[in-house]
Amino acid sequence: MKLHYLLLKMFLTFTLGTFAQATLFSQITDPKATEVWEPEPRKITPVVNNMPPSDAIVLFDGKNMDAWTDLKGNACPWQISESFLTVVPKTGDIKTKKQFGDCQIHIEWRAPVVVKGEGQGRGNSGIFLQEIYELQVLDSYDNRTYSNGQAASIYKQTMPLVNANKKPGEWQVYEIIYKAPRFNDDGILTAPPTITVLHNGVLVQHNTEIKGATEYIGLPRFKAHEKGALRLQDHGDLVSFRNIWIREL
Ligand code: MG
């Protein structure tokens, strides 16, 4: 035994007694002492050929809108064609039937091929986490608007780190990791929601703190809430969506 281990063992025996010394000494010197075998993370099928992982809840796979309703709970009024979903202007936002808290979301979207409008009026939609906090969807390929209102911004709060937009008419992807806010029993915020977003594979929101409910006018504020639906915005533009899945965390 090396001299410094011997001295350490003598010191531990002197200060802690024989049993405690043996436990602590093995933790310091035995590599196996820090191996954890239980529990074992369960096996799942990961993303293969852009198909959802086996433990995801599929919200839209191109076939039907069974997982969605309008905001009043009626059948989803948006249009399915060629396995994607398109906003039908003036029918209103849609939301999932199921409510979510912490989650991972995969969603693909496409701004209209026919470019019309400027700024916030071009290819505008949005993804509202828990129905309240908007991750902006906008044709920001060649369309200047306020930076905290462009695609991949937390609307009117935090601009994306870079503009990773593809051309209108091309499919784009958001990978979202969302942590819901925590409120105590008195309804006081104890931890704000945070969001990480990859836009077309590029990090654009890095564990961003959400500052409150999305507001068009005025400062964001928090109001205590439970789990909430995922909501997609009808902003009057023909934005399309496909391959939407979510994993509860
Ligand atoms: Mg929007």
Side-chain angles (χ1 to χ4, degrees):
M1 185 177 288
K2 287 181 180 167
L3 181 62
H4 64 278
Y5 279 146
L6 196 60
L7 290 170
L8 175 64
K9 206 167 184 179
M10 284 168 64
F11 171 74
L12 292 173
T13 308
F14 181 70
T15 53
L16 300 173
T18 311
F19 178 74
Q21 168 268 120
T23 308
L24 192 56
F25 186 73
S26 80
Q27 282 179 6
I28 294 169
T29 57
D30 178 8
K32 287 196 175 302
T34 45
E35 292 178 359
V36 177
W37 286 74
E38 298 294 339
E40 183 187 3
R42 68 184 187 281
K43 273 187 184 153
I44 58 141
T45 307
V47 176
V48 179
N49 297 328
N50 207 28
M51 295 294 288
S54 58
D55 63 345
I57 297 168
V58 176
L59 295 175
F60 180 67
D61 63 1
K63 295 189 184 83
N64 64 66
M65 289 300 293
D66 292 353
W68 302 79
T69 66
D70 70 8
L71 294 188
K72 290 182 186 148
N74 301 314
C76 175
W78 292 9
Q79 190 192 354
I80 299 178
S81 57
E82 298 171 52
S83 81
F84 54 84
L85 172 72
T86 302
V87 175
V88 175
K90 296 200 166 57
T91 58
D93 296 0
I94 61 168
K95 64 176 184 175
T96 56
K97 291 177 185 169
K98 194 170 161 53
Q99 318 272 305
F100 302 99
D102 297 353
C103 59
Q104 173 188 354
I105 300 166
H106 172 102
I107 185 163
E108 300 177 23
W109 61 273
R110 190 181 76 172
V113 190
V114 179
V115 174
K116 84 177 182 30
E118 295 295 330
Q120 293 292 313
R122 184 185 295 184
N124 193 336
S125 180
I127 297 156
F128 284 77
L129 288 307
Q130 301 195 293
E131 294 186 60
I132 297 170
Y133 313 106
E134 183 183 11
L135 170 63
Q136 176 69 305
V137 168
L138 192 77
D139 175 6
S140 291
Y141 180 73
D142 184 17
N143 177 37
R144 198 73 192 23
T145 182
Y146 39 96
S147 301
N148 63 353
Q150 71 180 63
S153 64
I154 307 308
Y155 184 72
K156 286 272 179 96
Q157 296 184 19
T158 307
M159 64 183 77
L161 293 168
V162 291
N163 180 340
N165 278 262
K166 293 184 180 179
K167 290 178 184 163
E170 292 184 17
W171 284 101
Q172 313 204 41
V173 187
Y174 284 159
E175 306 283 0
I176 303 163
I177 298 162
Y178 174 71
K179 189 166 185 194
R182 270 41 173 185
F183 300 93
N184 68 14
D185 292 344
D186 297 328
I188 296 167
L189 181 79
T190 55
T194 58
I195 186 166
T196 294
V197 181
L198 299 177
H199 183 189
N200 298 323
V202 174
L203 184 69
V204 287
Q205 297 287 348
H206 186 191
N207 199 31
T208 302
E209 245 181 46
I210 295 175
K211 296 168 184 160
T214 298
E215 298 288 354
Y216 180 53
I217 298 170
L219 294 174
R221 301 174 68 166
F222 283 106
K223 197 171 163 212
H225 60 83
E226 305 286 323
K227 286 183 171 185
L230 188 68
R231 177 176 136 209
L232 302 180
Q233 186 183 44
D234 166 16
H235 201 282
D237 295 327
L238 301 173
V239 176
S240 300
F241 295 90
R242 71 177 186 188
N243 196 14
I244 309 171
W245 53 261
I246 190 165
R247 294 179 65 248
E248 294 181 288
L249 302 176

